[in-house]
Amino acid sequence: VVKFLLDQGDEITSIVIPDQNSSYDKEILKVARVSDDAVFTGNTANNPGFISHLESTTPDFMLTIYWPWLLESNVFKKASNTVNFHPAPLPVNRGWYPHVHSIIDGSPLGVTLHQIDENADTGPIWAQKTLEVYPDEIASDVYKRLQDEIIKLFKDSWNAIKSGCINPIKQNENDGNYHKKNEIDALDLIDLDKSYLAKDFINLLRARSFENKGFAYFVTNGKKIYLSLSLESEKE
C-alpha cells in the first residue's frame, strides 16, 4: 500500500506501526521514507505527540490497514477523511477473525474499505467485494487471499475515493454482527464424546488450521493433542 501511494504521487506525512522492532515494520519504514519524527509506535489513542503531529500536518486521509486497536475520535477526526481495511463484507463479521467464522458458519466472505467512526467496523462503506470460500482451502489460504483482494480493491478504488467520486454508504445495522477476539478459543476444544456432522468437523479443522499449525485440539490423559488439516483438490 505504501509503495502504491508513493507511485500515485501521494505524500505520506506519518507512519504508525505496532512494533518498530519487527522486520516487517522496518521494511515499511524503509519504503515510506518518512523522517524519524513522523514515525509512531503502538496504540496512539492517548499519545499527545501523535495528536500534536496530526494537528500540525492536517492530513487529508488517515488509512488504517489491519490495525489492531480502535481509534478514538480525537485521533481519527484530525484527518479530513479516513479509510479502514476490513477483511469481511461489512456489516457481516465485524471484529476479529472473520475468515474463521465464514469457514465455520458459512457467513459471507469478502473485503471492505470503510470510513472510521467511534465503533468497531461500523463506519460508512467506500467499496467492497464479496468472495467465496473454496472447499480445498484452510484458514491460512483464505486469510492470505483476503489480503490480496483488499489491496486490489484499494488500488482500484483509491483515486475515486480521494477525488470525491465515491459517496460512502451507511451500513445496514439489521445485517450486522460482531465477533470478539476470544470467541475462537471456545471453538478449539474438540469433545471426544460429542457427535459431529462430517461437514461441520472438517470445517472446524480447516478453519483452525493455519499453514502447518493447528489450533483445534482434544484432551487425553490431561494432555492437549492438536490437529491440523491438509486439503488437496483432485488433479484434473
Side-chain angles (χ1 to χ4, degrees):
V1 171
V2 169
K3 289 178 179 178
F4 172 76
L5 291 172
L6 293 176
D7 288 343
Q8 299 297 301
D10 296 313
E11 177 187 3
I12 298 175
T13 58
S14 61
I15 290 280
V16 186
I17 50 179
D19 178 11
Q20 195 172 10
N21 292 321
S22 79
S23 59
Y24 189 66
D25 290 341
K26 290 177 180 178
E27 184 63 23
I28 292 173
L29 296 179
K30 181 180 178 181
V31 172
R33 302 190 300 272
V34 296
S35 60
D36 291 343
D37 61 357
V39 177
F40 301 86
T41 60
N43 190 344
T44 59
N46 297 310
N47 183 331
F50 179 58
I51 294 172
S52 176
H53 176 80
L54 291 176
E55 290 174 343
S56 65
T57 55
T58 60
D60 297 306
F61 275 89
M62 182 179 295
L63 309 183
T64 50
I65 305 168
Y66 283 44
W67 187 246
W69 298 291
L70 283 177
L71 292 182
E72 295 182 7
S73 60
N74 66 324
V75 175
F76 67 78
K77 287 187 177 180
K78 293 294 190 295
S80 299
N81 221 324
T82 57
V83 181
N84 182 58
F85 288 50
H86 186 71
L90 296 176
V92 174
N93 289 343
R94 295 167 174 158
W96 289 86
Y97 310 120
H99 63 290
V100 170
H101 296 286
S102 289
I103 295 172
I104 289 177
D105 61 24
S107 55
L109 185 77
V111 292
T112 303
L113 304 172
H114 68 95
Q115 289 181 323
I116 301 171
D117 63 11
E118 287 81 0
N119 300 306
D121 306 320
T122 56
I125 293 170
W126 290 110
Q128 69 180 186
K129 180 179 181 181
T130 56
L131 304 161
E132 63 177 302
V133 178
Y134 300 128
D136 60 350
E137 289 184 309
I138 61 174
S140 51
D141 299 321
V142 180
Y143 180 81
K144 292 172 184 177
R145 185 157 59 89
L146 290 174
Q147 285 187 325
D148 291 339
E149 289 291 347
I150 204 165
I151 291 173
K152 290 178 184 176
L153 181 65
F154 177 72
K155 290 180 176 180
D156 290 342
S157 308
W158 174 236
N159 284 327
I161 291 173
K162 72 178 182 180
S163 63
C165 294
I166 296 179
N167 292 318
I169 300 172
K170 185 177 180 180
Q171 295 186 34
N172 184 351
E173 290 299 321
N174 294 329
D175 298 331
N177 64 306
Y178 177 83
H179 292 290
K180 296 181 180 179
K181 187 175 184 179
N182 62 1
E183 279 186 39
I184 60 172
D185 295 339
L187 302 173
D188 289 342
L189 176 59
I190 297 170
D191 185 348
L192 296 179
D193 296 319
K194 177 182 176 180
S195 295
Y196 295 83
L197 288 175
K199 178 182 178 181
D200 294 339
F201 190 66
I202 291 172
N203 284 339
L204 171 61
L205 290 183
R206 68 191 188 115
R208 302 304 292 133
S209 297
F210 201 93
E211 295 180 339
N212 295 321
K213 183 176 178 61
F215 293 92
Y217 66 92
F218 62 89
V219 178
T220 183
N221 297 325
K223 186 176 182 180
K224 291 181 179 180
I225 309 296
Y226 290 90
L227 300 88
S228 62
L229 188 64
S230 176
L231 298 169
E232 182 178 351
S233 291
E234 179 183 16
K235 297 292 188 294
E236 295 182 359

